[in-house]
Amino acid sequence: MTIEPRFPQMHDDQGRAPEDLLVVDVDGFEGPLDLLLSLAREQKVDLARISILSLAEQFLVFVEAARVKRLEIAADYLVMAAWLAYLKSRLLLPDEADDDQPTGDELAAALAFRLRRLEAMRGAASRLMNRNRLGQQVFARGAPEATITNRHNQFTASLYDLLEAYASQRQRNFVQFVTITKRKVFSLQEARALLVKLIGETVDWTPIDSYLIDYLSTPETRATAMASSLSASLELVREGHIELRQTSVFSPLYVRRKPEKQSTGPDSHA
Amino acid sequence: MPDLFLATAGDNVMNLAPEDQRLQLRMVEALLFAAREPLSEAELGARLPDGVDIVALLKELQSAYAGRGVTLRHTDGRWAFRTADDLGFLLQHEVSEEKRLSRAALETLSIIAYHQPVTRAEIEEIRGVSISRGTLDALMEAGWVRLRGRRKSPGRPVTYGTSPDFLDHFGLESIKDLPGLAELKGAGLLDATIPAGLASPDPDDRADLTEDEEPLDFGDLEEVEPLAGA
Amino acid sequence: MPDLFLATAGDNVMNLAPEDQRLQLRMVEALLFAAREPLSEAELGARLPDGVDIVALLKELQSAYAGRGVTLRHTDGRWAFRTADDLGFLLQHEVSEEKRLSRAALETLSIIAYHQPVTRAEIEEIRGVSISRGTLDALMEAGWVRLRGRRKSPGRPVTYGTSPDFLDHFGLESIKDLPGLAELKGAGLLDATIPAGLASPDPDDRADLTEDEEPLDFGDLEEVEPLAGA
């Protein structure tokens, strides 16, 4: 049995010395188990009768050679090397009576089993791939006839949905109707009542706008309020309750409560 | 024993030794089966051994498949297996999809329910928008709305109403069970004040036509579709 | 006259009137011919009249097609017409480009097939290396491998198994037909753990989970991707 430093012969076709490619070689294997299996195959015997001891020694020599050359070896190879070194010692030393530990032969058998199982799975993979495969040697209908799918819509709606839809659109119409009828219009009567209330005891000339502005919250109502207020104020002037004054065309309109006759005294000839 | 799939052999093919003939038929059969498109005689010939009488083989295969679930069709100089004409229905697959009614359809349905018999124009007047194509279609497809007749008024517009399925689907014993406006308000569905003078609608889904309706004309069912989409 | 495509009728089917039998056979033939994917007996049954003995019809159809260019194959309870094994040479132009799987992926596939349900850690134990990024992804993308569930063990690892497409692709009637299964099992090489002696488990690709599996959680499909690439 050989224990010389030998390297797997997978890369010799590159024409380079195997040692130069050691790291590459390790990369070429799928882990330490793959490397062991490759080394085992070189024993050219049935895997069931493989010498695990010599396999372990080959692996250790391989790793040692790499370390001598200071080449980086992946950690799992080093772990395997350590385990194989342990296995070697168990195989070479007589078993102790201590039964807690598996014997060297049991450990070796376990490793042999793993190698055989990996080999078996490789064989299975190639047998599988060599079968007549669909799309490679065996074919499905090239132009399958699509099944025509007739879709039926199954509509769903609850009674609540229905009633809610009816109620909300009817309501929408009510609101529309109400908005139109409730459009804010200052009637003359309203404007007059407002003016009387607002002018109150004021006797100074005041622009009519300032009386109204606080009440004219929206631009839409402004025009109608102004128009009604002007009409109402003219009426109040005619009735002698207030006085109006405008200095020029389009300038602010001033309003004041008409002074009481008794308080104006002698100059009451207006 | 019923010779269901028994071939009737063509003349030319008969001259071959059965073994060769059988292999050639199997080859043509496999080629046609796996082909993505119909194959011409030239294409088949290019893939078969030299000297094969392709037309004879195709004819034999065609007669072997005659009357079967799949037949060998010759169209435009090309050959392909196709499902037998009478079995096309098998390839149709019925699927029903749950679909929610659109908001527009729900509103239209509710107006039809409450105001039936009602014309399209009347529905639009109540909704304030025109009905889009497909809204009435969807309601008729759902089986909830039906054409009742025609209104005796200018233009004789079609009147719509609800179907017995409508009552069934919404769990109503009769159309009169639809709550009135006041009840809707009571249920919190309506919170605006109901304008005075607006009477609750009085829906009528009886099969008989009302006094201001007349029967649909013959052929109205076809005519209505484009109308509904106008 | 050569009875090239002569059927040998099954027993049950014989009890039918020839006319009914013929129609039913035609229907099954049409459905299977039209489909690209294998159809289960349940799928066929759903499209055939009630009370049809589908299995008997399928068996009759299968024997009618035996030895033809196209054969009816039974895979994992599903049926499909496929070209005959020996005619592959004729159909090389139909070969679809296939993404080549790495050796690691092929080994992983066979480990999954023979050892299913199997966890990632168990696959790695057998191969002696960790599974690199994309290996399981590629197998799942090919449609041959699927997530089955989770092992009821610490960490609840995901279990992998093969799919019905795997059987269809490799022309296996069931997972029990995996090549060399009996020998491997006899040699104890399907044992998950090293000490032999116990009976080897059978690969199990049934849709039901085994006793020591539990269902995937909601969202596992998204979760697994990054794990597979770790």
Side-chain angles (χ1 to χ4, degrees):
Chain A
M1 104 186 31
T2 172
I3 51 165
E4 287 165 39
R6 290 175 69 245
F7 294 90
Q9 312 207 324
M10 298 181 65
H11 304 268
D12 285 0
D13 56 329
Q14 309 270 322
R16 285 169 287 182
E19 2 347 7
D20 296 338
L21 293 167
L22 189 52
V23 173
V24 179
D25 278 351
V26 174
D27 282 345
F29 291 101
E30 286 211 70
L33 206 58
D34 186 24
L35 174 55
L36 276 171
L37 188 56
S38 178
L39 290 168
R41 282 208 193 99
E42 292 189 11
Q43 292 193 5
K44 293 194 172 89
V45 291
D46 183 349
L47 268 185
R49 295 188 288 133
I50 195 88
S51 164
I52 291 296
L53 182 57
S54 94
L55 197 61
E57 283 168 343
Q58 284 181 53
F59 189 92
L60 292 171
V61 166
F62 180 93
V63 170
E64 198 50 43
R67 290 175 72 180
V68 166
K69 290 172 189 291
R70 295 165 171 268
L71 294 173
E72 294 249 353
I73 285 195
D76 48 349
Y77 287 82
L78 297 177
V79 170
M80 178 62 90
W83 189 82
L84 288 173
Y86 168 74
L87 172 62
K88 194 175 139 187
S89 71
R90 294 296 306 270
L91 285 171
L92 294 175
L93 294 172
D95 280 321
E96 288 164 25
D98 179 7
D99 280 345
D100 283 358
Q101 302 284 324
T103 65
D105 287 339
E106 281 167 354
L107 291 173
L111 178 59
F113 172 83
R114 291 189 69 190
L115 292 173
R116 284 171 57 218
R117 189 174 57 179
L118 179 59
E119 173 100 332
M121 285 301 112
R122 289 205 175 146
S126 70
R127 276 201 271 180
L128 214 45
M129 295 313 279
N130 284 333
R131 289 183 65 83
N132 284 324
R133 287 155 54 205
L134 188 65
Q136 303 297 311
Q137 292 82 26
V138 170
F139 298 86
R141 179 96 183 267
E145 288 165 79
T147 53
I148 301 148
T149 304
N150 296 329
R151 297 194 182 279
H152 302 280
N153 292 326
Q154 186 76 49
F155 289 99
T156 60
S158 67
L159 184 60
Y160 174 82
D161 293 337
L162 184 77
L163 299 180
E164 195 273 334
Y166 186 67
S168 73
Q169 67 185 321
R170 289 316 301 257
Q171 181 162 328
R172 229 164 38 220
N173 293 351
F174 299 166
V175 171
Q176 244 176 8
F177 174 71
V178 164
T179 309
I180 292 164
T181 51
K182 273 201 171 171
R183 197 178 148 214
K184 198 89 178 151
V185 173
F186 263 66
S187 67
L188 274 178
Q189 212 124 26
E190 276 177 288
R192 181 189 163 111
L194 206 59
L195 274 175
V196 169
K197 206 166 121 201
L198 284 179
I199 290 166
E201 301 302 314
T202 314
V203 283
D204 284 334
W205 289 107
T206 311
I208 195 167
D209 306 27
S210 74
Y211 281 109
L212 299 167
I213 204 79
D214 289 345
Y215 292 86
L216 308 178
S217 53
T218 61
E220 298 92 85
T221 52
R222 195 174 184 125
T224 174
M226 290 290 281
S228 300
S229 302
L230 180 62
S231 305
S233 64
L234 290 174
E235 201 180 351
L236 286 169
V237 170
R238 188 174 57 80
E239 288 171 17
H241 296 294
I242 60 169
E243 292 178 321
L244 284 173
R245 195 177 76 179
Q246 192 176 27
T247 52
S248 62
V249 180
F250 295 126
S251 68
L253 196 59
Y254 288 84
V255 61
R256 74 167 182 187
R257 183 185 165 83
K258 187 167 182 174
E260 296 291 347
K261 291 241 163 92
Q262 58 264 45
S263 65
T264 52
D267 50 16
S268 61
H269 45 79
Chain B
M1 175 165 151
D3 294 351
L4 296 176
F5 290 164
L6 183 62
T8 55
D11 289 336
N12 297 319
V13 184
M14 287 304 289
N15 302 331
L16 291 168
E19 196 59 26
D20 289 349
Q21 180 192 359
R22 186 186 164 83
L23 177 60
Q24 291 176 8
L25 270 176
R26 290 178 71 229
M27 288 164 88
V28 174
E29 190 180 31
L31 282 168
L32 288 169
F33 176 83
R36 293 182 186 117
E37 286 169 4
L39 296 177
S40 68
E41 285 148 26
E43 285 165 331
L44 282 164
R47 294 173 197 172
L48 289 169
D50 287 342
V52 166
D53 184 346
I54 293 160
V55 176
L57 286 171
L58 285 165
K59 291 229 167 105
E60 166 145 8
L61 203 58
Q62 191 171 44
S63 69
Y65 274 90
R68 299 263 297 274
V70 174
T71 58
L72 183 55
R73 220 58 81 71
H74 182 215
T75 305
D76 201 23
R78 288 166 180 275
W79 298 78
F81 282 119
R82 287 285 175 256
T83 304
D85 284 336
D86 63 325
L87 298 179
F89 72 93
L90 280 174
L91 305 183
Q92 308 218 344
H93 188 51
E94 312 289 320
V95 171
S96 74
E97 279 184 352
E98 284 234 323
K99 251 188 163 174
R100 285 192 69 79
L101 273 191
S102 69
R103 183 75 198 171
L106 258 183
E107 290 186 4
T108 303
L109 177 63
S110 68
I111 290 169
I112 293 172
Y114 273 92
H115 296 265
Q116 62 186 310
V118 65
T119 67
R120 185 191 175 88
E122 289 160 358
I123 298 168
E124 292 180 336
E125 195 191 316
I126 295 170
R127 288 197 67 218
V129 280
S130 61
I131 301 174
S132 71
R133 178 178 187 81
T135 299
L136 281 169
D137 290 2
L139 293 172
M140 293 212 268
E141 193 192 330
W144 296 337
V145 162
R146 65 192 179 88
L147 304 173
R148 289 177 51 89
R150 288 182 178 281
R151 178 69 48 79
K152 286 177 189 161
S153 69
R156 301 177 58 252
V158 169
T159 52
Y160 294 91
T162 55
S163 65
D165 276 358
F166 170 84
L167 296 178
D168 205 29
H169 182 90
F170 291 98
L172 297 166
E173 201 157 308
S174 102
I175 202 70
K176 305 289 181 205
D177 289 350
L178 281 175
L181 291 176
E183 288 165 288
L184 288 175
K185 188 169 161 65
L189 287 163
L190 245 180
D191 50 19
T193 315
I194 301 167
L198 187 66
S200 257
D202 183 20
D204 180 359
D205 67 347
R206 278 172 304 179
D208 310 338
L209 297 177
T210 57
E211 274 184 16
D212 65 350
E213 285 177 299
E214 59 187 33
L216 290 168
D217 304 329
F218 181 73
D220 266 349
L221 284 167
E222 287 79 49
E223 245 177 63
V224 164
E225 291 295 308
L227 270 175
Chain C
M1 174 168 154
D3 295 351
L4 294 177
F5 292 160
L6 180 62
T8 52
D11 288 334
N12 298 318
V13 184
M14 289 302 291
N15 302 332
L16 292 167
E19 197 57 29
D20 289 349
Q21 183 191 357
R22 188 187 163 81
L23 177 61
Q24 291 175 6
L25 270 176
R26 290 179 68 230
M27 289 165 90
V28 174
E29 186 182 33
L31 284 168
L32 288 169
F33 231 84
R36 191 185 173 82
E37 302 294 326
L39 296 177
S40 69
E41 284 148 27
E43 285 167 324
L44 287 164
R47 301 196 189 159
L48 291 170
D50 288 340
V52 166
D53 184 346
I54 293 161
V55 176
L57 288 170
L58 286 165
K59 291 223 167 115
E60 168 146 7
L61 204 58
Q62 191 172 41
S63 67
Y65 273 88
R68 298 262 298 273
V70 173
T71 59
L72 182 56
R73 286 216 317 218
H74 181 217
T75 296
D76 195 29
R78 300 192 301 160
W79 299 76
F81 279 116
R82 298 286 184 246
T83 57
D85 276 337
D86 64 322
L87 298 178
F89 72 94
L90 192 66
L91 301 164
Q92 287 311 302
H93 59 279
E94 299 288 353
V95 171
S96 45
E97 270 302 305
E98 196 185 46
K99 211 164 115 184
R100 277 193 68 83
L101 287 177
S102 65
R103 198 183 70 163
L106 290 178
E107 275 180 34
T108 302
L109 175 64
S110 65
I111 290 168
I112 291 172
Y114 286 79
H115 291 262
Q116 62 187 311
V118 65
T119 66
R120 185 191 175 88
E122 289 159 357
I123 299 167
E124 293 180 338
E125 207 273 322
I126 293 171
R127 295 196 63 232
V129 277
S130 56
I131 298 177
S132 69
R133 177 175 194 81
T135 299
L136 281 168
D137 289 8
L139 293 173
M140 291 204 272
E141 196 189 326
W144 296 339
V145 163
R146 64 191 178 89
L147 302 175
R148 288 179 50 91
R150 288 185 179 279
R151 176 70 47 80
K152 283 180 193 161
S153 66
R156 301 175 63 249
V158 168
T159 51
Y160 294 89
T162 54
S163 65
D165 275 1
F166 168 83
L167 296 176
D168 192 26
H169 184 88
F170 291 99
L172 299 166
E173 189 159 327
S174 91
I175 202 69
K176 307 289 177 213
D177 295 337
L178 280 171
L181 184 63
E183 301 149 53
L184 290 172
K185 197 184 161 195
L189 291 170
L190 299 184
D191 291 354
T193 47
I194 295 162
L198 295 168
S200 292
D202 287 323
D204 181 355
D205 68 344
R206 278 172 304 180
D208 309 335
L209 298 178
T210 57
E211 273 184 18
D212 66 350
E213 285 177 299
E214 57 187 30
L216 290 168
D217 304 327
F218 181 73
D220 268 347
L221 284 168
E222 288 79 48
E223 247 175 61
V224 165
E225 292 295 307
L227 272 177

